[in-house]
Amino acid sequence: MTASSLSADGGHGAVPTGGVPTGVPGSGSMRDWPLWEVFVRAKRGLSHQHVGSLHAPDAAMALRNARDVYTRRSEGVSIWVVPASEVVASSPDEKDAFFDPAADKAYRHPTFYVVPDDVQHL
Amino acid sequence: MQPSQEQEFQALIDADQRIEPRDWMPEAYRKTLIRQIAQHAHSEIIGMQPEGNWITRAPSLRRKAILMAKVQDEAGHGLYLYGAAETLGVGRDELLDLLHAGRQKYSSIFNYPTLTWADMGAIGWLVDGAAIVNQVPITRCSYGPYARAMVRICKEESFHQRQGFEILHTLSHGTPAQHRMAQDAVDRWWWPSLMMFGPPDDQSPNTAQSMAWRIKRFSNDELRQKFVDMTVPQAEVLGLTLPDPEIRWDETSGHHLFGEIDWTEFFRVLKGDGPCNTARMEHRRRAHDEGAWVREAASAYAEKQAARTRAGAA
């Protein structure tokens, strides 16, 4: 064990990094319970926001675990859990093309328009 | 000419943007993060053991409730971090297998024993204090899920550190025997806490790459110095001495100077020759194996409910 194979970046103290395996990509969670994405409404009037994920065998356990993991300090008044496999996402590879229709339409923003300085409440 | 994927990746990082799970990333970046996040997660859950050791013997109901909340937080921190690691395409079960097989490690600090109640104070104040200094810059780490997990963790660590300080302050201002107990704990935990920041910069060649990727923002020595500067005045308030006669304020540098760290001890503990390495791993494996029936029962129940729903719908 040499100093060069160590990292302190793990946050809770230096750990070795040289020669440490990192698993096989895409191999995960075959034995584990399904993954759920967790959304929490922090207080009335706010929308639910994604806070993280967890594993649970069913929806009821996912909700209970989400309460224990993500709201130990009254961080929420409502929780949604969604099976991660049900989330449909846009692809980052296509992001330029996918969002392109909005890119050249600056006239959709109020700042696009020139108005005289002395006009009020506009 | 079209920029390469690697150039686009580095441009995002140089612009202080975050990398998100589905973005293209160099394989080495992904592997560095998996190692770092997984072993951080392992450290959190192994870290439950030295403190869990004192839950039944906490000196009052108040202290006991606080300690249980703290140990529960450590489990939560482990879960946030396993979740962040999983966004890189590795399974939590696989990471736990690697821990149980001894192929991934956890922080050496948890291989020291907790001999007295005062150790609960010293761990909170020094070990969690050092962890906070390490972790706060990671809230701005280039990998989004890791940075977000760290924001939650840092908020909670602050309670951990303050409760530790309070334990030591109470003991230090108690009976002479209590004061000695507090001093003894600080004597034992001070040097291992300094070692948590890792080897000196001139022996840490990986740091440059991690800094270029903005996974790491400050060097080991910079963070260690920051911790010492923060802690020395706090020790004075506690009425306790740090076990290093070379600590003194240096007007020129504006920092506290401190003595040489015994790195042979650090490497010995890291290699597995610490006081508690074997016990920590045995306990971890036993807890996992003995909990198997709970996981199986939950799966069986979920399957039974799902079958009922299917039958009802048919």
mmCIF file of all heavy atoms in Angstrom, chain B residues 2 29-30 42-43 46 77 88 112 133 158 180 182 187-188 191 200 208 210 225 227 256-257 283 285 296 308 311:
data_model
loop_
_atom_site.group_PDB
_atom_site.id
_atom_site.type_symbol
_atom_site.label_atom_id
_atom_site.label_comp_id
_atom_site.label_asym_id
_atom_site.label_seq_id
_atom_site.Cartn_x
_atom_site.Cartn_y
_atom_site.Cartn_z
ATOM 1 N N GLN B 2 -15.819 19.696 -35.195
ATOM 2 C CA GLN B 2 -16.676 19.311 -34.070
ATOM 3 C C GLN B 2 -15.831 18.988 -32.843
ATOM 4 O O GLN B 2 -14.853 18.256 -32.954
ATOM 5 C CB GLN B 2 -17.473 18.058 -34.453
ATOM 6 C CG GLN B 2 -18.670 18.313 -35.344
ATOM 7 C CD GLN B 2 -19.828 18.870 -34.538
ATOM 8 O OE1 GLN B 2 -19.951 20.086 -34.387
ATOM 9 N NE2 GLN B 2 -20.666 18.021 -33.982
ATOM 10 N N TYR B 29 -13.310 8.829 -15.183
ATOM 11 C CA TYR B 29 -14.102 9.719 -14.308
ATOM 12 C C TYR B 29 -15.175 8.904 -13.598
ATOM 13 O O TYR B 29 -15.358 9.005 -12.383
ATOM 14 C CB TYR B 29 -14.733 10.807 -15.176
ATOM 15 C CG TYR B 29 -15.657 11.790 -14.471
ATOM 16 C CD1 TYR B 29 -15.151 12.896 -13.793
ATOM 17 C CD2 TYR B 29 -17.049 11.641 -14.536
ATOM 18 C CE1 TYR B 29 -16.009 13.818 -13.183
ATOM 19 C CE2 TYR B 29 -17.909 12.558 -13.934
ATOM 20 C CZ TYR B 29 -17.379 13.644 -13.253
ATOM 21 O OH TYR B 29 -18.238 14.561 -12.654
ATOM 22 N N ARG B 30 -15.857 8.052 -14.376
ATOM 23 C CA ARG B 30 -16.919 7.215 -13.805
ATOM 24 C C ARG B 30 -16.359 6.290 -12.723
ATOM 25 O O ARG B 30 -16.918 6.172 -11.637
ATOM 26 C CB ARG B 30 -17.577 6.382 -14.921
ATOM 27 C CG ARG B 30 -18.930 5.792 -14.566
ATOM 28 C CD ARG B 30 -19.479 4.931 -15.703
ATOM 29 N NE ARG B 30 -18.712 3.716 -15.857
ATOM 30 C CZ ARG B 30 -18.916 2.610 -15.131
ATOM 31 N NH1 ARG B 30 -19.874 2.591 -14.222
ATOM 32 N NH2 ARG B 30 -18.165 1.548 -15.306
ATOM 33 N N HIS B 42 -19.742 3.156 2.311
ATOM 34 C CA HIS B 42 -19.322 2.101 3.242
ATOM 35 C C HIS B 42 -18.869 2.718 4.577
ATOM 36 O O HIS B 42 -19.161 2.188 5.646
ATOM 37 C CB HIS B 42 -18.147 1.288 2.667
ATOM 38 C CG HIS B 42 -18.442 0.596 1.358
ATOM 39 N ND1 HIS B 42 -19.702 0.192 0.993
ATOM 40 C CD2 HIS B 42 -17.622 0.229 0.332
ATOM 41 C CE1 HIS B 42 -19.645 -0.394 -0.201
ATOM 42 N NE2 HIS B 42 -18.399 -0.381 -0.630
ATOM 43 N N SER B 43 -18.148 3.826 4.503
ATOM 44 C CA SER B 43 -17.664 4.479 5.728
ATOM 45 C C SER B 43 -18.833 4.909 6.605
ATOM 46 O O SER B 43 -18.783 4.803 7.835
ATOM 47 C CB SER B 43 -16.812 5.707 5.384
ATOM 48 O OG SER B 43 -15.727 5.344 4.566
ATOM 49 N N ILE B 46 -20.394 1.616 8.176
ATOM 50 C CA ILE B 46 -19.489 1.020 9.169
ATOM 51 C C ILE B 46 -19.379 1.969 10.361
ATOM 52 O O ILE B 46 -19.254 1.547 11.511
ATOM 53 C CB ILE B 46 -18.101 0.741 8.567
ATOM 54 C CG1 ILE B 46 -18.188 -0.311 7.454
ATOM 55 C CG2 ILE B 46 -17.112 0.306 9.657
ATOM 56 C CD1 ILE B 46 -18.402 -1.744 7.894
ATOM 57 N N HIS B 77 -27.153 8.574 5.555
ATOM 58 C CA HIS B 77 -26.054 9.068 4.708
ATOM 59 C C HIS B 77 -25.571 7.957 3.776
ATOM 60 O O HIS B 77 -25.300 8.198 2.597
ATOM 61 C CB HIS B 77 -24.888 9.563 5.565
ATOM 62 C CG HIS B 77 -25.237 10.759 6.407
ATOM 63 N ND1 HIS B 77 -24.365 11.350 7.291
ATOM 64 C CD2 HIS B 77 -26.384 11.466 6.502
ATOM 65 C CE1 HIS B 77 -24.966 12.368 7.884
ATOM 66 N NE2 HIS B 77 -26.187 12.453 7.429
ATOM 67 N N LEU B 88 -24.407 5.844 -11.488
ATOM 68 C CA LEU B 88 -23.249 5.626 -12.370
ATOM 69 C C LEU B 88 -23.287 4.221 -12.982
ATOM 70 O O LEU B 88 -22.330 3.796 -13.632
ATOM 71 C CB LEU B 88 -21.952 5.831 -11.578
ATOM 72 C CG LEU B 88 -21.728 7.291 -11.164
ATOM 73 C CD1 LEU B 88 -20.781 7.383 -9.972
ATOM 74 C CD2 LEU B 88 -21.190 8.117 -12.331
ATOM 75 N N TYR B 112 -10.774 2.238 14.981
ATOM 76 C CA TYR B 112 -10.351 2.513 16.357
ATOM 77 C C TYR B 112 -11.520 2.221 17.297
ATOM 78 O O TYR B 112 -12.683 2.461 16.941
ATOM 79 C CB TYR B 112 -9.908 3.974 16.495
ATOM 80 C CG TYR B 112 -8.619 4.272 15.775
ATOM 81 C CD1 TYR B 112 -8.627 4.686 14.446
ATOM 82 C CD2 TYR B 112 -7.386 4.118 16.411
ATOM 83 C CE1 TYR B 112 -7.435 4.941 13.769
ATOM 84 C CE2 TYR B 112 -6.198 4.371 15.746
ATOM 85 C CZ TYR B 112 -6.229 4.780 14.424
ATOM 86 O OH TYR B 112 -5.063 5.025 13.757
ATOM 87 N N VAL B 133 -15.192 19.300 7.110
ATOM 88 C CA VAL B 133 -14.200 20.072 6.339
ATOM 89 C C VAL B 133 -13.949 19.395 4.987
ATOM 90 O O VAL B 133 -13.814 20.051 3.957
ATOM 91 C CB VAL B 133 -12.893 20.230 7.147
ATOM 92 C CG1 VAL B 133 -11.787 20.810 6.290
ATOM 93 C CG2 VAL B 133 -13.144 21.107 8.369
ATOM 94 N N SER B 158 -23.733 18.805 10.827
ATOM 95 C CA SER B 158 -23.553 19.942 11.711
ATOM 96 C C SER B 158 -24.138 19.640 13.105
ATOM 97 O O SER B 158 -23.547 19.995 14.128
ATOM 98 C CB SER B 158 -24.192 21.156 11.047
ATOM 99 O OG SER B 158 -24.519 22.094 11.987
ATOM 100 N N ARG B 180 -10.894 14.175 33.094
ATOM 101 C CA ARG B 180 -9.815 13.275 32.624
ATOM 102 C C ARG B 180 -10.307 12.371 31.506
ATOM 103 O O ARG B 180 -9.588 12.096 30.553
ATOM 104 C CB ARG B 180 -9.306 12.422 33.803
ATOM 105 C CG ARG B 180 -8.291 13.128 34.700
ATOM 106 C CD ARG B 180 -7.538 12.125 35.581
ATOM 107 N NE ARG B 180 -8.428 11.315 36.423
ATOM 108 C CZ ARG B 180 -8.908 11.713 37.608
ATOM 109 N NH1 ARG B 180 -8.600 12.923 38.084
ATOM 110 N NH2 ARG B 180 -9.700 10.922 38.316
ATOM 111 N N ALA B 182 -12.645 13.058 29.324
ATOM 112 C CA ALA B 182 -12.756 13.866 28.102
ATOM 113 C C ALA B 182 -11.376 14.068 27.485
ATOM 114 O O ALA B 182 -11.189 13.927 26.269
ATOM 115 C CB ALA B 182 -13.415 15.210 28.415
ATOM 116 N N ASP B 187 -7.118 12.900 23.440
ATOM 117 C CA ASP B 187 -5.744 12.420 23.209
ATOM 118 C C ASP B 187 -5.719 11.270 22.197
ATOM 119 O O ASP B 187 -4.836 11.188 21.354
ATOM 120 C CB ASP B 187 -5.121 11.925 24.524
ATOM 121 C CG ASP B 187 -4.793 13.080 25.460
ATOM 122 O OD1 ASP B 187 -4.839 14.246 25.002
ATOM 123 O OD2 ASP B 187 -4.515 12.815 26.652
ATOM 124 N N ARG B 188 -6.693 10.390 22.290
ATOM 125 C CA ARG B 188 -6.698 9.226 21.397
ATOM 126 C C ARG B 188 -7.228 9.539 20.003
ATOM 127 O O ARG B 188 -6.834 8.920 19.026
ATOM 128 C CB ARG B 188 -7.513 8.072 22.026
ATOM 129 C CG ARG B 188 -6.731 7.336 23.130
ATOM 130 C CD ARG B 188 -7.509 6.179 23.732
ATOM 131 N NE ARG B 188 -8.643 6.636 24.549
ATOM 132 C CZ ARG B 188 -9.916 6.514 24.206
ATOM 133 N NH1 ARG B 188 -10.252 5.944 23.070
ATOM 134 N NH2 ARG B 188 -10.859 6.961 25.009
ATOM 135 N N TRP B 191 -4.933 12.525 16.594
ATOM 136 C CA TRP B 191 -4.069 12.189 15.448
ATOM 137 C C TRP B 191 -4.796 11.405 14.370
ATOM 138 O O TRP B 191 -4.657 11.714 13.181
ATOM 139 C CB TRP B 191 -2.802 11.469 15.937
ATOM 140 C CG TRP B 191 -1.882 12.383 16.690
ATOM 141 C CD1 TRP B 191 -1.683 12.414 18.040
ATOM 142 C CD2 TRP B 191 -1.053 13.426 16.147
ATOM 143 N NE1 TRP B 191 -0.789 13.405 18.367
ATOM 144 C CE2 TRP B 191 -0.387 14.036 17.226
ATOM 145 C CE3 TRP B 191 -0.830 13.902 14.859
ATOM 146 C CZ2 TRP B 191 0.513 15.098 17.043
ATOM 147 C CZ3 TRP B 191 0.053 14.955 14.667
ATOM 148 C CH2 TRP B 191 0.716 15.543 15.757
ATOM 149 N N PRO B 200 0.196 13.589 2.783
ATOM 150 C CA PRO B 200 0.562 14.945 2.372
ATOM 151 C C PRO B 200 0.496 15.111 0.854
ATOM 152 O O PRO B 200 0.595 14.135 0.109
ATOM 153 C CB PRO B 200 2.006 15.102 2.846
ATOM 154 C CG PRO B 200 2.265 13.978 3.778
ATOM 155 C CD PRO B 200 1.269 12.910 3.512
ATOM 156 N N ALA B 208 -4.240 15.867 -8.637
ATOM 157 C CA ALA B 208 -4.280 16.771 -9.794
ATOM 158 C C ALA B 208 -5.431 16.417 -10.736
ATOM 159 O O ALA B 208 -6.184 17.299 -11.162
ATOM 160 C CB ALA B 208 -2.951 16.733 -10.539
ATOM 161 N N SER B 210 -8.187 14.672 -10.016
ATOM 162 C CA SER B 210 -9.466 14.923 -9.355
ATOM 163 C C SER B 210 -9.792 16.415 -9.320
ATOM 164 O O SER B 210 -10.953 16.804 -9.394
ATOM 165 C CB SER B 210 -9.439 14.389 -7.921
ATOM 166 O OG SER B 210 -9.766 13.027 -7.904
ATOM 167 N N GLN B 225 -5.088 21.733 7.217
ATOM 168 C CA GLN B 225 -4.745 23.000 7.857
ATOM 169 C C GLN B 225 -6.001 23.741 8.306
ATOM 170 O O GLN B 225 -6.070 24.304 9.401
ATOM 171 C CB GLN B 225 -3.927 23.870 6.888
ATOM 172 C CG GLN B 225 -3.437 25.167 7.505
ATOM 173 C CD GLN B 225 -2.448 24.924 8.647
ATOM 174 O OE1 GLN B 225 -1.419 24.285 8.449
ATOM 175 N NE2 GLN B 225 -2.765 25.425 9.836
ATOM 176 N N PHE B 227 -8.822 22.476 9.106
ATOM 177 C CA PHE B 227 -9.373 21.775 10.273
ATOM 178 C C PHE B 227 -8.613 22.157 11.544
ATOM 179 O O PHE B 227 -9.221 22.448 12.583
ATOM 180 C CB PHE B 227 -9.310 20.253 10.029
ATOM 181 C CG PHE B 227 -9.725 19.428 11.214
ATOM 182 C CD1 PHE B 227 -11.040 19.405 11.641
ATOM 183 C CD2 PHE B 227 -8.796 18.651 11.899
ATOM 184 C CE1 PHE B 227 -11.430 18.630 12.724
ATOM 185 C CE2 PHE B 227 -9.177 17.873 12.989
ATOM 186 C CZ PHE B 227 -10.498 17.871 13.398
ATOM 187 N N HIS B 256 -2.075 27.879 12.227
ATOM 188 C CA HIS B 256 -1.471 27.148 13.336
ATOM 189 C C HIS B 256 -0.502 26.119 12.780
ATOM 190 O O HIS B 256 -0.851 25.349 11.885
ATOM 191 C CB HIS B 256 -2.552 26.441 14.162
ATOM 192 C CG HIS B 256 -3.448 27.383 14.901
ATOM 193 N ND1 HIS B 256 -4.580 27.933 14.356
ATOM 194 C CD2 HIS B 256 -3.352 27.885 16.159
ATOM 195 C CE1 HIS B 256 -5.152 28.727 15.233
ATOM 196 N NE2 HIS B 256 -4.436 28.724 16.344
ATOM 197 N N LEU B 257 0.707 26.106 13.320
ATOM 198 C CA LEU B 257 1.658 25.048 12.962
ATOM 199 C C LEU B 257 1.350 23.838 13.829
ATOM 200 O O LEU B 257 0.829 23.970 14.935
ATOM 201 C CB LEU B 257 3.090 25.519 13.213
ATOM 202 C CG LEU B 257 3.511 26.796 12.483
ATOM 203 C CD1 LEU B 257 4.959 27.159 12.832
ATOM 204 C CD2 LEU B 257 3.347 26.647 10.978
ATOM 205 N N HIS B 283 -18.876 -7.990 12.118
ATOM 206 C CA HIS B 283 -20.174 -7.492 12.552
ATOM 207 C C HIS B 283 -21.030 -7.102 11.347
ATOM 208 O O HIS B 283 -22.217 -7.391 11.293
ATOM 209 C CB HIS B 283 -19.993 -6.288 13.477
ATOM 210 C CG HIS B 283 -21.274 -5.789 14.072
ATOM 211 N ND1 HIS B 283 -21.791 -6.289 15.240
ATOM 212 C CD2 HIS B 283 -22.162 -4.880 13.632
ATOM 213 C CE1 HIS B 283 -22.938 -5.685 15.503
ATOM 214 N NE2 HIS B 283 -23.190 -4.824 14.535
ATOM 215 N N ARG B 285 -20.858 -8.221 8.222
ATOM 216 C CA ARG B 285 -21.323 -9.411 7.474
ATOM 217 C C ARG B 285 -22.437 -10.119 8.236
ATOM 218 O O ARG B 285 -23.426 -10.553 7.659
ATOM 219 C CB ARG B 285 -20.167 -10.391 7.248
ATOM 220 C CG ARG B 285 -19.156 -9.897 6.235
ATOM 221 C CD ARG B 285 -18.205 -11.025 5.836
ATOM 222 N NE ARG B 285 -16.981 -10.473 5.277
ATOM 223 C CZ ARG B 285 -15.840 -10.340 5.945
ATOM 224 N NH1 ARG B 285 -15.746 -10.748 7.192
ATOM 225 N NH2 ARG B 285 -14.790 -9.812 5.362
ATOM 226 N N GLU B 296 -36.233 -11.182 2.731
ATOM 227 C CA GLU B 296 -37.009 -12.227 2.043
ATOM 228 C C GLU B 296 -38.491 -12.103 2.367
ATOM 229 O O GLU B 296 -39.344 -12.248 1.481
ATOM 230 C CB GLU B 296 -36.494 -13.616 2.448
ATOM 231 C CG GLU B 296 -35.172 -13.967 1.767
ATOM 232 C CD GLU B 296 -34.400 -15.063 2.511
ATOM 233 O OE1 GLU B 296 -35.025 -15.767 3.340
ATOM 234 O OE2 GLU B 296 -33.186 -15.198 2.257
ATOM 235 N N ARG B 308 -52.340 -10.985 -5.699
ATOM 236 C CA ARG B 308 -53.754 -10.716 -5.377
ATOM 237 C C ARG B 308 -54.321 -9.660 -6.283
ATOM 238 O O ARG B 308 -55.448 -9.755 -6.743
ATOM 239 C CB ARG B 308 -53.856 -10.237 -3.921
ATOM 240 C CG ARG B 308 -53.996 -11.405 -2.970
ATOM 241 C CD ARG B 308 -54.400 -10.925 -1.578
ATOM 242 N NE ARG B 308 -54.165 -12.016 -0.652
ATOM 243 C CZ ARG B 308 -53.913 -11.865 0.629
ATOM 244 N NH1 ARG B 308 -53.839 -10.649 1.147
ATOM 245 N NH2 ARG B 308 -53.698 -12.903 1.398
ATOM 246 N N ALA B 311 -54.962 -11.145 -9.615
ATOM 247 C CA ALA B 311 -56.131 -12.036 -9.597
ATOM 248 C C ALA B 311 -57.424 -11.220 -9.580
ATOM 249 O O ALA B 311 -58.403 -11.553 -10.249
ATOM 250 C CB ALA B 311 -56.067 -12.962 -8.383
#
